[in-house]
Amino acid sequence: MSAAPELLVMDDERTAGEGRATVEGRAGEAGEGLPEGLLVRHPVPADHRRLQVALADWWGGLGGDAGALQRQLLVPRLFLQHFAGTSFLVERPDHSLHAFLIGFLSQTDPRTAYIHFVGVCPDGKRAGVGDR
């Protein structure tokens, strides 16, 4: 298994002062291979509310209200506080949420990563974002 590229965090004009940052990888742009205009960045706790909305809405009512609640409970705010460096949001040019990945590296084996939850908005499916 090859090691993941080390990530650099850099503020851009939109995110400066808001605790948000875009992500750039040393082995190529983090957004490389994504549709034009999508921005990849690490989440911040302020993103929790809109992530919760996506967890309720993007699965087309799967499981009804109980299913939406179960998905929302799987991604508490603490993931955006303590695993932000290994989690990613993909935003459209209008800054709406397009996709996300919540994950972290193993404390026991740093060569192992765990993807806790990943989602792509319904109108963004089949465009290669989830695969990327």
Side-chain angles (χ1 to χ4, degrees):
M1 173 182 272
S2 64
E6 183 176 335
L7 297 174
L8 302 174
V9 178
M10 302 165 25
D11 284 333
D12 69 4
E13 290 177 25
R14 181 188 62 80
T15 62
E18 294 182 21
R20 295 177 172 179
T22 58
V23 178
E24 182 180 309
R26 290 180 193 240
E29 296 289 326
E32 186 177 307
L34 292 177
E36 186 68 29
L38 294 180
L39 171 74
V40 178
R41 68 174 178 84
H42 293 296
V44 296
D47 292 313
H48 187 254
R49 177 69 194 129
R50 66 189 188 134
L51 187 56
Q52 292 289 295
V53 169
L55 289 163
D57 294 344
W58 287 4
W59 276 261
L62 180 66
D65 290 342
L69 179 59
Q70 286 177 335
R71 287 186 297 278
Q72 290 174 320
L73 291 173
L74 286 171
V75 185
R77 183 180 304 274
L78 70 88
F79 275 82
L80 306 184
Q81 295 168 319
H82 300 286
F83 305 117
T86 53
S87 296
F88 301 92
L89 298 182
V90 178
E91 295 179 322
R92 296 183 186 109
D94 67 359
H95 308 299
S96 62
L97 189 60
H98 187 79
F100 65 90
L101 181 145
I102 306 298
F104 53 88
L105 297 175
S106 167
Q107 293 294 305
T108 306
D109 182 359
R111 297 170 301 161
T112 301
Y114 171 75
I115 296 176
H116 181 70
F117 216 117
V118 64
V120 177
C121 67
D123 63 343
K125 291 183 178 178
R126 304 283 181 224
V129 175
D131 189 47
R132 174 66 183 119

